[in-house]
């Protein structure tokens, strides 16, 4: 049985262009407040049909490389059946099948147990929706 459960929604402004938004500091701040040195799991979920969550290196070009790769896999053109919004918007609705809207990560002694170069990110290719939400939930024991 879990000793601790805490959950919070954070708001993220992604703007009007494709982005990989780093959430690592927000996750660390949340855990510093609620985990209090415990071990457990941090679950992240974004309740959007056109965004996902990824653990990836940021700041050294990998975040831009991810957007480039997604551009090759999911081109923003007229091939998509889902056609409202910006041209190619249908591909934004396919994104969560490739970059899922959830992630569960280990927490050790109240700290997110990421590798040296790993960051927790929100991946958003939808230029039509500049405001996103991410739910952080900590389950500790």
């Amino acid at each position: 049985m879990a000793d601790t459960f805490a959950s919070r929604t954070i708001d993220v402004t992604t703007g009007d262009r494709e982005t990989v938004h780093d959430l690592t500091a927000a996750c660390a701040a949340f855990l510093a407040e609620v985990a209090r040195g415990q071990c457990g799991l941090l679950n992240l979920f974004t309740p959007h049909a056109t965004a996902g969550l990824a653990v990836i290196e940021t700041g050294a070009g990998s975040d831009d490389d991810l957007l480039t790769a997604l551009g090759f896999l999911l081109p923003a053109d007229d091939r998509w059946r889902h056609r409202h919004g910006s041209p190619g918007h249908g591909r934004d609705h396919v994104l969560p099948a490739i970059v899922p809207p959830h992630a569960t990560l280990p927490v050790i002694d109240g700290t997110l147990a990421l590798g040296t170069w790993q960051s927790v990110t929100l991946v958003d290719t939808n230029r039509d929706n500049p405001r996103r939400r991410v739910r952080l939930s900590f389950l500790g024991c």
Side-chain angles (χ1 to χ4, degrees), residues 12 16 21 28 30 33-35 45 49 60-61 88 93-94 99-100 117-118 121 127:
V12 178
D16 61 356
H21 182 87
F30 172 69
E33 183 181 329
V34 302
F45 177 73
H93 287 275
V94 176
V99 182
W117 304 112
Q118 291 180 317
T121 65
R127 295 168 293 159

Side-chain angles (χ1 to χ4, degrees), residues 43-66:
N43 180 267
L44 294 92
F45 177 73
T46 188
H48 299 284
T50 59
L53 297 161
V55 176
I56 187 171
E57 178 182 8
T58 59
S62 296
D63 36 356
D64 290 330
D65 289 342
L66 173 58

